[in-house]
Structure formats: C-alpha cells, structure tokens
Amino acid sequence: MSDSGRQAASGLPDDETVEAIQRGLIEWYEADHRAYPWRETDDPYEILVSEIMSQQTQLDRVVEAWADFLEEWPTAEALATAPRGEVVAFWSDHSLGYNNRAKYLHEAATQIVEEYDGAFPETPAALQELMGVGPYTANAVASFAFNNGDAVVDTNVKRVLYRAFDIPDDDAAFETAASDLMPAGRSRVWNNAIMELGGVACGKTPRCDEAGCPWREWCHAYETGDFTAPDVPTQPSFDGSRRQFRGRVIRLLGEHDEMALDTLGHRIRVDYTPDGEHGREWLRGLLSDLSDDGLVAVDERDEGTVARLE
Ligand code: SF4
C-alpha cells in the first residue's frame, strides 16, 4: 500500500499535512520541554533504570532516586556485582514500589554481563529478553538509547490521537495511526515529543492555547470543542477568567482581519460549544463588553456574526 493509502486507512490526513504535523510537534518539543536528566543521555543502562523506576513513581520523585542509584551503581557491570539485598534495600529506602522490580533490574544487569558480553541488545524484541522488561519498557530503551523503537502507544498517546485525529477507541487503530504518524528513524525525539504533548498540553484537562499546542490547526477536538477521550468520558471543565478571554480575543483579532463568531469561540476557549454554557451567548457578552470599551467591532451579516478590531 502506498504511504498516502496507508495514512488514509489509519485516519490521518494526507502526506503533506502529516509532514507539517510531524515538524510542528518536533519543533514544539525541541523549543521547550521538561528537563528530566534521563532525556539527556543515550546510555541504555541509565535509561533502563529510569524506565523501571518510573513505572510506579512520579517522575519528579524519580529524579533524585535515579541520580543516587547511578552514583551507587554507575554501570550494568557494577550493578551485577552488587549483593541483591543492597539493591532491594535501596528500592525500599527510596519508596520505589514493588521490590521485585529491584530484583529484576539486578537480574537484567547480570544477563547483560553474562549473556550479552556487556552490550545491550538494540531492538524492542531483543530487549524483551531481559528480566522484567516488558514491551513498553523495551520499546522505550530501544527508542531513547538507540533511536530504534516503534511508536509508543500509552494512555497519553491514545488521548492525543483520539482528540486530534478522531481515531476510534480501538487498540489496533491507535497502533496503526501512531506508527504511521511517527517520522521514520526518529523514534527518540518523536516518542519523547508525543508523550510530552500528552503530559503537558493534552492532559485530561487540555491546555491547548496555554501550552501552545502545535496541532491546534489540525485538531478535531479543538475545532469541535469536544474534548472527551477514552480516559475522559465527560467533557472536562476549564478555568479561565474573563480578563484572560478578553486578552485572547484581542490577540486573535490582531492576527486576523476579522473572524466569524464560532471560529473565534473555538480558538479562545477549549470548551466552547456554540449552544452550550460557554457558547455564542457567552461570547456575544464578552464582545459586547469589548465593543463598549471601544476595542472591538461586531458586524451582523447575512452569513453570520463577524468580529474585528475597532
Ligand atoms: S489542540 Fe488541544 S486537544 Fe488538540 S491535540 Fe492540542 S492540546 Fe490536545
């Protein structure tokens, strides 16, 4: 099947648009992202330790434990020669969840030394041979250490794909869309970027504008105002003061000669629904205040209401 045929089948836009979507996300991620130290390394051992620790512990708390662990056992060889009890004690002292994970990590280090001659395998399938390393962790290590992974599909990624491209809530559909969307040979930056998008912009309560989401111009949810997702069964609620919305209206109208009422509504608040609580009536009130202040002009035309800067 051709690329465009495959993309049509996966529910994604055409090739050219997909390239713009890819570029947009990578540029957004590279311009600014949460600076976790394991994002600065491509050492598979260091990445494996961070992945195992993050399975049950919040990332902010993993930062310190990860640094302490690597100071104690800086390489797979060092960990393999440590008494297992010491590794388990470290795990308990740092409240890292099930002690079995410490035992598996120790065992995996032993495998690396004894079976792999000190060199990590580099593919997701081969990495799964390591003790305690499941498909998700194997793919993360293959991506972040070797830039050799498949597209990650976790809860965050599903939420993003469902909202942005209207991908149905079906595991096979998510897998296909995620892998068609990933630029070839760029799993390291891509998987980091799409997980970052799901973490800081497209969380359960999305922050499309605040986080400067790079996919707003293509996003189905942003266009329709429906932000439900497989893990968000009802419309999330949003904060936002009137002053903030006034500011957004002025900024947007400054970028456009004029804007239709609903287009403006969807662009200024993620929960805009024309007939809902935060819909046309609410927006007309806001525009009327701005008009009283001499900032905005509202024209009623046959084709609908249009707003522009005064
Ligand atoms: S525009 Fe909003 S809903 Fe759409 S992908 Fe971005 S953050 Fe998610």
Side-chain angles (χ1 to χ4, degrees), residues 169-303:
D169 182 9
D170 170 84
D171 281 350
F174 284 130
E175 288 283 347
T176 309
S179 89
D180 284 352
L181 197 56
M182 184 173 90
R186 304 208 63 189
S187 58
R188 176 183 290 140
V189 68
W190 183 259
N191 284 333
N192 266 320
I194 197 163
M195 288 196 293
E196 183 80 354
L197 189 70
V200 311
C202 205
K204 288 191 173 180
T205 297
R207 299 174 57 250
C208 316
D209 295 318
E210 296 87 329
C213 176
W215 286 359
R216 282 172 291 179
E217 72 178 278
W218 303 286
C219 178
H220 180 259
Y222 194 74
E223 191 189 340
T224 60
D226 176 0
F227 291 91
T228 53
D231 61 336
V232 188
T234 55
Q235 184 77 343
S237 61
F238 301 94
D239 295 333
S241 69
R242 207 166 170 82
R243 189 176 54 77
Q244 248 185 335
F245 291 120
R246 283 170 59 102
R248 283 188 206 167
V249 168
I250 300 293
R251 200 187 65 225
L252 270 167
L253 292 181
E255 293 167 4
H256 298 81
D257 291 342
E258 55 180 37
M259 289 182 87
L261 196 67
D262 287 345
T263 313
L264 179 63
H266 286 308
R267 293 290 300 273
I268 63 166
R269 63 182 305 157
V270 291
D271 56 345
Y272 181 85
T273 34
D275 299 321
E277 187 189 350
H278 297 116
R280 288 185 189 133
E281 206 176 315
W282 169 86
L283 182 54
R284 281 181 197 281
L286 192 73
L287 291 172
S288 154
D289 288 355
L290 287 164
S291 167
D292 290 347
D293 294 341
L295 297 168
V296 164
V298 180
D299 297 335
E300 299 295 344
R301 298 189 191 152
D302 290 347
E303 64 271 22

Side-chain angles (χ1 to χ4, degrees), residues 21 25 29-30 35 77 91 99 102-103 110 118-119 126 134 136 138 165 174 189 191 214 230 278-279 288 307:
I21 288 168
L25 180 59
Y29 174 75
E30 287 182 338
E77 289 76 10
W91 216 256
N99 286 345
K103 292 182 192 157
T110 310
Y136 179 86
F165 307 113
F174 284 130
V189 68
N191 284 333
H278 297 116
S288 154

Side-chain angles (χ1 to χ4, degrees), residues 54-226:
S54 338
Q55 284 170 1
Q56 279 202 308
T57 309
Q58 284 189 338
L59 293 186
D60 291 334
R61 283 185 37 228
V62 171
V63 173
E64 196 188 324
W66 182 77
D68 288 353
F69 193 94
L70 293 180
E71 198 176 307
E72 191 79 31
W73 302 293
T75 60
E77 289 76 10
L79 183 61
T81 51
R84 184 160 297 182
E86 276 183 25
V87 185
V88 171
F90 179 101
W91 216 256
S92 312
D93 291 350
H94 288 72
S95 311
L96 289 166
Y98 295 127
N99 286 345
N100 270 352
R101 294 197 206 281
K103 292 182 192 157
Y104 293 159
L105 190 54
H106 185 259
E107 181 62 30
T110 310
Q111 280 176 280
I112 292 293
V113 172
E114 291 179 359
E115 295 170 31
Y116 295 87
D117 217 11
F120 270 72
E122 300 188 5
T123 64
L127 280 154
Q128 279 190 62
E129 299 295 318
L130 297 176
M131 190 70 181
V133 175
Y136 179 86
T137 305
N139 190 50
V141 176
S143 300
F144 304 143
F146 302 112
N147 194 26
N148 191 31
D150 303 318
V152 163
V153 185
D154 65 3
T155 320
N156 280 338
V157 172
K158 287 182 187 174
R159 188 168 57 245
V160 175
L161 295 176
Y162 182 92
R163 282 179 178 155
F165 307 113
D166 202 19
I167 304 299
D169 182 9
D170 170 84
D171 281 350
F174 284 130
E175 288 283 347
T176 309
S179 89
D180 284 352
L181 197 56
M182 184 173 90
R186 304 208 63 189
S187 58
R188 176 183 290 140
V189 68
W190 183 259
N191 284 333
N192 266 320
I194 197 163
M195 288 196 293
E196 183 80 354
L197 189 70
V200 311
C202 205
K204 288 191 173 180
T205 297
R207 299 174 57 250
C208 316
D209 295 318
E210 296 87 329
C213 176
W215 286 359
R216 282 172 291 179
E217 72 178 278
W218 303 286
C219 178
H220 180 259
Y222 194 74
E223 191 189 340
T224 60
D226 176 0

